[in-house]
Amino acid sequence: MALLLLLHIALLSTLCAADDPYVSYDFKLSYITVSPLGVPQRVIAVNGAFPGPVVNTTTNYNVVINVHNQLDEDLLMTWSGIQMRRNSWQDGVLGTNCPIHPKRNFTYQFQVKDQIGSFIYFPSLNFQRASGGFGPIVINNRKIIAIPFAQPDGDIVVVVGDWYTKTNTALRATLDSGEELGMPDGVLINGKGPYRYNSTLVPDGIEYETINVDPGKTYRFRVHNVGVSTSLNFRIEGHNLLLVETEGRYTMQQNFTSFDIHVGQSYSFLVTMDQNATKDYYIVASARFVNESVWERVTGVAVLHYSNSKGPATGPLPVAPSDIYNQWSAMNQPRAIRQNTTASGARPNPQGSFHYGSINVTDTYVIRSLPLVRIDGKLRATLNGISFVEPNTPIRLADLHNVKGAYKLDFPNKPLDRSPKMDRSIINATYKGFMEVILQNNDTKILSFHMDGYAFFVVGMDFGVWTENSRSIYNKWDTISRCTTEVYPGGWTAVLISLDNVGVWNLRVENLDRWYLGQETYMRIVNPEENGKTEMAPPDNVLYCGALQSLQKESESSAAMPLHCDNSKLLLTLVITVLAFISSFSQNDGHRFRVRSCGAWFFLLGLKSSVFDRFLLDAEGFEALETQSLSLKADGDLLVCLDLYALGVNLLPALGRAVGVF
């Protein structure tokens, strides 16, 4: 019987084995009222949770996320660090997507191709990230590729960020009025306010985060800064932070007592519970590179609780780094981050096998940021003297439909001696080129620069003005590759980018105030010999706006319906359920039980994509099948299911055409 079962599986596997597995999520973004700092305020929740749930997937999986906009304004979700290979249509920023209107939905569908690591998602419009809507993304290694450290005893996500008690709408209005935001009201850890470590600074009744651990175990802490504009120093009282990964790249393992995490950045640390647990321990995220006596309230505090702890956390917080006014010293930390060149990441070959330092640079861009300026009476932020104006029509859609004047391909490759202006200037990048980008920060605050669609090699950073002689200090051997890098005020950071991902990709300052006021542009990368292999076509559910508004079909939803195995299973669920229901009335009692079990099992199968993907695509699938189909009491029950599945597959194309799915 077991052999016959395997034959059934082998025959059916030809139906879908060519597709990588799918994970699916339904995201409902809505307002809820919480009081993280003791003041009731409206925040943006995902499925009622603040922060939102983890998007948990694995290298090369397809991710389907149906986003429902239950807010009172337009929405886009961006998946920061996910490279969207060949598929900038899913990037979720205004240069690539039209917004999701209130009471509408849009289904994002993308593959996490050749990626592992820790990332974040958040809303990209209307300053909404300042009110929430954010959450973590975890991309696990495939089973065939080992992680370069012992398997941790647990995985702990920590989402930190500065926080204002004003809504994103009010913060937006402040900037629109020509004023800056000022000091935040606090720092949240996993959406909660500070533990009452100080009765003067922290009011009573604040809900704080507690992380429960067991003595002697080692946990992987994935820490993300999703804040508005403040760099944070992260530390755990009495514990070392062993750095192992950042934004999809395994690092050389180094111990730190504290670590600076800038806006938009993500890091993984291994933390071993090696203390004697005489009390609980503080977890701290405090504002960095500010006057701490003034910014003392901008401190997030959570609690690390051992299962054998003998009491609450007490005493002063662990001391922050003392180099506030010596940023030269602080820069040593990011300079020390190196990639683990012998470890395998998403692919079996070592991370260091791409010899970026020996590739000839084809283009150099020096991009300078300056303090805020006024343009036509409005407070604006600039890159190379240009304050970006969001396009009415997404750039790549404008290309495909020959919309003229939607943008300009004239972003300057160096700062120009001219008055600042507002414009839609973007970078005309060359497919398969190798670009050097110098991020020169002449502003007065640390800025985080992020690029969608790519990871770049952070080859150098220093203070002063970059010159060609600065290349002599570049790390051309083992520098880290990532998607978000800090640039110190009065300094520069140099990155190298291999332009192999066709599309239109956002290059921005991740600090929300500067991004909102215009510090961004796009790289347009087009293959002149495009044959459908280097860039995907727009999805079936593409949204239209601006000059293409007339192409938008009026409907209450916008769901992608490509012909993939996953969609076949969803439709097939209906077929199997109907067949099982009909058959149950025409068979004897014993067989009726089998068919009803089959229908129930396939219903779960289609909705959750949990068992079938595994036993088709996982070498250990047969064991998983046996352990997860407990409701099917015998092999015979499963054979009935598989027979019905085969019958349904034969009926599926005709039924799909009849109902208009395919």
Side-chain angles (χ1 to χ4, degrees), residues 160-293:
V160 301
D162 59 352
W163 189 255
Y164 293 84
T165 55
K166 292 182 179 179
T167 66
N168 64 294
T169 306
L171 294 173
R172 224 164 54 213
T174 298
L175 292 173
D176 290 341
S177 72
E179 301 294 326
E180 295 200 49
L181 297 180
M183 184 172 62
D185 297 302
V187 170
L188 303 189
I189 298 180
N190 286 348
K192 298 176 183 177
Y195 172 78
R196 201 177 190 204
Y197 70 98
N198 182 307
S199 59
T200 302
L201 291 172
V202 183
D204 193 18
I206 298 288
E207 183 183 5
Y208 59 88
E209 177 75 347
T210 298
I211 294 175
N212 295 305
V213 294
D214 292 321
K217 292 188 175 180
T218 297
Y219 298 85
R220 180 174 183 171
F221 280 68
R222 300 178 190 260
V223 189
H224 313 267
N225 186 341
V226 297
V228 174
S229 196
T230 304
S231 297
L232 298 174
N233 180 264
F234 181 79
R235 53 200 185 272
I236 301 177
E237 181 186 14
H239 295 75
N240 284 326
L241 307 173
L242 181 64
L243 177 65
V244 294
E245 178 258 337
T246 179
E247 297 164 18
R249 207 75 169 182
Y250 290 121
T251 66
M252 295 298 292
Q253 297 177 18
Q254 304 174 69
N255 270 312
F256 297 89
T257 55
S258 70
F259 202 89
D260 294 338
I261 303 178
H262 304 278
V263 178
Q265 291 187 334
S266 300
Y267 286 93
S268 284
F269 306 99
L270 295 183
V271 183
T272 299
M273 303 304 130
D274 54 5
Q275 298 302 296
N276 57 19
T278 54
K279 66 179 186 67
D280 291 342
Y281 298 91
Y282 294 122
I283 301 173
V284 182
S286 60
R288 192 77 162 99
F289 307 116
V290 295
N291 185 333
E292 287 193 347
S293 62

Side-chain angles (χ1 to χ4, degrees), residues 202-412:
V202 183
D204 193 18
I206 298 288
E207 183 183 5
Y208 59 88
E209 177 75 347
T210 298
I211 294 175
N212 295 305
V213 294
D214 292 321
K217 292 188 175 180
T218 297
Y219 298 85
R220 180 174 183 171
F221 280 68
R222 300 178 190 260
V223 189
H224 313 267
N225 186 341
V226 297
V228 174
S229 196
T230 304
S231 297
L232 298 174
N233 180 264
F234 181 79
R235 53 200 185 272
I236 301 177
E237 181 186 14
H239 295 75
N240 284 326
L241 307 173
L242 181 64
L243 177 65
V244 294
E245 178 258 337
T246 179
E247 297 164 18
R249 207 75 169 182
Y250 290 121
T251 66
M252 295 298 292
Q253 297 177 18
Q254 304 174 69
N255 270 312
F256 297 89
T257 55
S258 70
F259 202 89
D260 294 338
I261 303 178
H262 304 278
V263 178
Q265 291 187 334
S266 300
Y267 286 93
S268 284
F269 306 99
L270 295 183
V271 183
T272 299
M273 303 304 130
D274 54 5
Q275 298 302 296
N276 57 19
T278 54
K279 66 179 186 67
D280 291 342
Y281 298 91
Y282 294 122
I283 301 173
V284 182
S286 60
R288 192 77 162 99
F289 307 116
V290 295
N291 185 333
E292 287 193 347
S293 62
V294 177
W295 281 61
E296 194 173 8
R297 78 180 190 204
V298 189
T299 301
V301 183
V303 169
L304 184 74
H305 174 73
Y306 279 54
S307 57
N308 63 340
S309 174
K310 298 177 179 64
T314 58
L317 298 181
V319 178
S322 59
D323 54 5
I324 304 302
Y325 302 106
N326 183 9
Q327 295 181 5
W328 284 267
S329 174
M331 191 183 282
N332 288 332
Q333 189 177 83
R335 281 172 167 170
I337 302 173
R338 299 282 193 265
Q339 66 171 312
N340 185 336
T341 56
T342 60
S344 296
R347 292 184 174 185
N349 52 299
Q351 292 182 148
S353 59
F354 183 74
H355 301 293
Y356 66 91
S358 60
I359 302 175
N360 292 329
V361 170
T362 58
D363 289 288
T364 296
Y365 275 75
V366 179
I367 300 178
R368 185 180 66 186
S369 55
L370 293 171
L372 298 179
V373 297
R374 293 194 179 272
I375 304 176
D376 298 331
K378 297 179 180 179
L379 189 68
R380 300 295 296 182
T382 62
L383 297 176
N384 281 2
I386 297 173
S387 185
F388 192 77
V389 179
E390 295 287 7
N392 297 320
T393 306
I395 294 165
R396 203 71 186 105
L397 276 180
D399 286 344
L400 292 185
H401 293 272
N402 297 312
V403 176
K404 304 300 182 184
Y407 62 90
K408 299 177 181 177
L409 282 173
D410 63 353
F411 189 89

